[in-house]
Amino acid sequence: MKTYRVVQWSTGTVGRRSLQAVIDHPELDLVGLYAHGEKKIGKDAGELVDRPATGVTASNDVDALIGLAPDCVIYEPNVLDFELACRFLDAGINVVTTGDFVTGSHRRTERDALEAACRRGRTTFLGTGSEPGFINVLAGFLTGSCRRVHSVRLIETFDATTYPVPQAWRAMGFGRPIGTRSEPIDSGPSALGLGYFETLDLVAGMMALELEATEGYVEHAAATRDIDLGWMRFPEGTVAGQRRVYRGLAHGRVVVELETCWTMSRDALDPQWGEPERFRIEIEGEPRVEATLNFTMPRTSGLSQEPDATSMLTVLTAMAAVHAVPFVCDADPGVMRPSDLPIYGARHCVV
């Protein structure tokens, strides 16, 4: 079996799951680990994620980790540093990231820089994840069952109360006083969350369709009382729920639509959106396709140490990156889309 030398970058919410998977995976050989925080530096990677000792210790020495010359870095930062990603690629290191990048259609300058670094280093860059990423590819794949397609719609509803990433939620406007109930979503090159706009191009590209334009808006739900989740507070009257809608237009109408609904309370929001937690794919075509996806706790005892179903979504995000490593390492140089990957399953993961 061919193995691939991997550096795991970060041990946060998603990085921790990736690190566990890399340690467990017979196709991957962990050779380095980047970690934030002095308490983690020097500790064995296995100790940090409830795994046996690996002999690999956490470091924050970027030059030393690049000097290990791994085949790939699984790069999972809070904010994607494109200059650092280009350093990896220039050094001959392939990059798989769950950062805010899917196609590069809304980050042309950064995409051009990544492409140039891939050419110089003979390397490949992939931005992926759960959604944006895996779920969008599935929606595009399902259009392959249709003779004609009128529109593709993907809806994500998510109870975020057990997803403790306050820095990300604050960046999106959660916890702020309610201003306007609805407002446009910034799609400029410096905006956060551009990966969601890029999912529209991803799905359209799988249908050989070039979008004429993209647009988005966000609706805010206000906390009707003070909400304290322990890891973040939402005073009464502040944003504690968001419904974000992203639309891709072609032929003068909406062809691809992504809707995300994230809430911080089940009973204290105005409005109180009540849709069940799930991913929903609706393709209006011939035939019409409807698919509902739920990622939940396994029923087999001892199969998982994750605490709840929300954690399963972070596993999904991590595995979209981990499973892609062999294919990225063996691909031609350049920036890949998730839809460029071959069809694959959970290789060497049956227990």
Side-chain angles (χ1 to χ4, degrees):
M1 184 192 305
K2 183 178 180 180
T3 58
Y4 302 84
R5 302 174 71 251
V6 172
V7 165
Q8 170 63 39
W9 201 273
S10 87
T11 58
T13 303
V14 175
R16 184 176 187 275
R17 274 80 180 185
S18 291
L19 180 56
Q20 289 175 325
V22 171
I23 291 172
D24 294 344
H25 206 296
E27 221 170 348
L28 306 179
D29 179 18
L30 181 71
V31 298
L33 171 65
Y34 180 89
H36 295 280
E38 292 300 321
K39 293 182 179 180
K40 296 180 181 180
I41 305 305
K43 288 193 174 182
D44 189 279
E47 180 184 355
L48 292 174
V49 291
D50 301 320
R51 290 295 188 271
T54 63
V56 175
T57 55
S59 170
N60 59 4
D61 187 333
V62 177
D63 292 333
L65 290 166
I66 291 177
L68 294 171
D71 296 306
C72 187
V73 57
I74 300 177
Y75 180 44
E76 295 171 324
N78 290 328
V79 178
L80 206 163
D81 182 336
F82 287 94
E83 290 186 5
L84 180 56
C86 287
R87 281 189 65 188
F88 298 142
L89 297 167
D90 272 318
I93 303 168
N94 300 290
V95 176
V96 178
T97 184
T98 56
D100 186 23
F101 189 100
V102 181
T103 66
S105 57
H106 281 63
R107 292 188 183 275
R108 299 296 177 88
T109 300
E110 289 85 353
R111 181 186 171 92
D112 289 346
L114 292 169
E115 285 281 10
C118 287
R119 289 195 299 270
R120 292 191 298 266
R122 304 295 299 168
T123 46
T124 304
F125 177 92
L126 172 70
T128 187
S130 54
E131 197 281 296
F134 182 86
I135 302 297
N136 313 104
V137 173
L138 178 58
F141 176 76
L142 288 175
T143 67
S145 65
C146 300
R147 179 161 54 186
R148 293 185 292 182
V149 174
H150 182 269
S151 62
V152 180
R153 186 168 181 244
L154 197 156
I155 308 102
E156 173 192 345
T157 49
F158 177 45
D159 176 1
T161 57
T162 57
Y163 195 70
V165 285
Q167 65 275 18
W169 297 121
R170 290 191 184 101
M172 293 171 56
F174 279 82
R176 297 178 186 173
I178 290 282
T180 57
R181 284 287 184 167
S182 178
E183 58 187 337
I185 299 175
D186 183 9
S187 61
S190 61
L192 296 175
L194 292 181
Y196 290 100
F197 280 105
E198 294 183 357
T199 63
L200 306 174
D201 294 290
L202 178 70
V203 175
M206 294 180 71
M207 298 187 290
L209 175 69
E210 184 172 349
L211 296 177
E212 298 163 0
T214 59
E215 61 184 24
Y217 67 90
V218 56
E219 298 176 356
H220 302 291
T224 58
R225 56 175 169 77
D226 290 348
I227 300 171
D228 188 350
L229 298 179
W231 51 269
M232 188 171 174
R233 294 184 67 254
F234 304 87
E236 182 179 352
T238 62
V239 176
Q242 286 188 349
R243 186 191 300 275
R244 291 175 168 252
V245 178
Y246 302 84
R247 290 172 172 164
L249 288 78
H251 308 305
R253 60 180 177 82
V254 176
V255 177
V256 184
E257 182 173 284
L258 166 65
E259 178 183 312
T260 63
C261 182
W262 301 318
T263 56
M264 298 294 176
S265 174
R266 294 176 182 269
D267 61 0
L269 297 180
D270 176 26
Q272 186 71 61
W273 298 308
E275 295 91 338
E277 291 181 71
R278 63 185 183 181
F279 292 94
R280 174 79 174 167
I281 297 169
E282 298 176 356
I283 302 168
E284 178 62 16
E286 183 190 21
R288 176 177 170 85
V289 181
E290 299 180 3
T292 299
L293 298 169
N294 294 300
F295 296 90
T296 62
M297 294 294 290
R299 298 177 180 177
T300 302
S301 177
L303 190 58
S304 176
Q305 296 178 325
E306 296 293 340
D308 51 46
T310 300
S311 297
M312 290 300 163
L313 296 179
T314 62
V315 173
L316 169 61
T317 301
M319 295 314 300
V322 172
H323 284 315
V325 168
F327 305 106
V328 171
C329 290
D330 294 342
D332 293 333
V335 175
M336 292 182 73
R337 298 181 175 204
S339 54
D340 295 329
L341 293 167
I343 298 174
Y344 62 88
R347 290 157 51 119
H348 312 294
C349 291
V350 176
V351 295

